Amino acid sequence: NAGVMQNPRHLVRRRGQEARLRCSPMKGHSHVYWYRQLPEEGLKFMVYLQKENIIDESGMPKERFSAEFPKEGPSILRIQQVVRGDSAAYFCASSPDRATSGANVLTFGAGSRLTVL
Amino acid sequence: AQSVTQLDSQVPVFEEAPVELRCNYSSSVSVYLFWYVQYPNQGLQLLLKYLSGSTLVKGINGFEAEFNKSQTSFHLRKPSVHISDTAEYFCAVSDPSVGTALIFGKGTTLSVSS
């Protein structure tokens, strides 16, 4: 029973390149959340998705960042034209359908650490 | 808007001593409350949660937390810590009526030494 799987675990990009981070939720989970962790800042919510729908993207930067959760395959967080300030740990979490769980209990992946040179 | 304040960024303690990590939240509605732990270079693991009912919640690894509605607090406690408890601890809140994502505090680093 695999947990939330994120890959790559580590990604190095040069300024101006694109970064793609993938997240496969736990089996049976249909909700995916992306968070960004910067040193000494805790976790900042970025986006909340269900299959083929973005539910809440209030934490996403207005430019260069996008996320999707297609009908088939993992959720992808895409960062275009990366800058040094994008260097951070990006965590994905998933939860069961809220109607059955009754609470947004999130299960987190191990994270993807992006370094921009 | 909801927010979470973890009052201590770092808490150093000796092994077998008791510890309390403080968390206060601001919300005008009923909330769900959570504590997560993050070990170095790992993801977050759920320690315990308060959804409703008894205000004293017991979690894994001997941790417990008490929900205090009047003080809007959800402090985490352990009567005797171990070296292996060294980690970062995050308090989080969510609004059950809205169903949005968790809002996290900035975290407290617990350092246990012998």
Side-chain angles (χ1 to χ4, degrees):
Chain A
N1 184 17
V4 177
M5 304 302 292
Q6 289 189 248
N7 66 85
R9 290 293 309 276
H10 300 275
L11 182 63
V12 179
R13 286 287 179 267
R14 296 190 180 279
R15 282 178 296 170
Q17 292 184 318
E18 178 180 286
R20 284 192 181 217
L21 310 177
R22 288 176 291 278
C23 170
S24 296
M26 278 189 71
K27 186 177 181 180
H29 285 193
S30 57
H31 299 218
V32 165
Y33 311 77
W34 285 94
Y35 286 81
R36 177 165 59 177
Q37 185 179 34
L38 294 166
E40 300 182 6
E41 289 193 19
L43 281 86
K44 297 293 186 184
F45 167 72
M46 299 181 75
V47 62
Y48 163 31
L49 310 104
Q50 293 180 27
K51 285 284 187 182
E52 299 183 282
N53 285 307
I54 296 175
I55 306 303
D56 181 355
E57 57 181 347
S58 59
M60 286 281 269
K62 293 289 185 278
E63 298 177 345
R64 302 188 296 109
F65 284 73
S66 62
E68 63 177 8
F69 189 15
K71 186 176 180 180
E72 301 290 338
S75 174
I76 295 175
L77 179 67
R78 181 184 180 201
I79 311 172
Q80 295 177 291
Q81 299 174 329
V82 295
V83 301
R84 289 213 174 111
D86 296 332
S87 295
Y90 292 83
F91 287 95
C92 172
S94 70
S95 69
D97 177 63
R98 182 175 176 272
T100 56
S101 74
N104 287 333
V105 180
L106 304 186
T107 301
F108 280 82
S112 292
R113 282 159 179 82
L114 172 65
T115 301
V116 180
L117 302 178
Chain B
Q2 296 171 348
S3 66
V4 177
T5 302
Q6 292 185 242
L7 297 162
D8 306 295
S9 59
Q10 298 195 18
V11 174
V13 294
F14 288 109
E15 194 172 17
E16 298 183 7
V19 70
E20 177 180 83
L21 306 183
R22 296 180 293 169
C23 172
N24 287 87
Y25 66 94
S26 65
S27 176
S28 59
V29 299
S30 297
V31 294
Y32 293 154
L33 293 156
F34 306 81
W35 276 98
Y36 281 82
V37 60
Q38 184 182 30
Y39 298 102
N41 297 316
Q42 295 186 27
L44 279 75
Q45 179 182 359
L46 181 67
L47 268 180
L48 48 80
K49 62 183 184 285
Y50 171 79
L51 305 180
S52 65
S54 173
T55 58
L56 183 62
V57 180
K58 294 190 182 296
I60 61 172
N61 300 342
F63 284 93
E64 63 180 31
E66 186 158 17
F67 170 57
N68 188 320
K69 187 174 182 178
S70 62
Q71 297 187 6
T72 61
S73 68
F74 191 54
H75 301 332
L76 181 70
R77 302 185 183 100
K78 186 171 182 177
S80 176
V81 294
H82 192 267
I83 297 281
S84 59
D85 293 322
T86 296
E88 190 151 19
Y89 292 79
F90 292 95
C91 182
V93 63
S94 73
D95 181 347
S97 65
V98 177
T100 55
L102 297 184
I103 304 300
F104 283 87
K106 290 188 176 183
T108 297
T109 301
L110 175 64
S111 300
V112 182
S113 57
S114 58

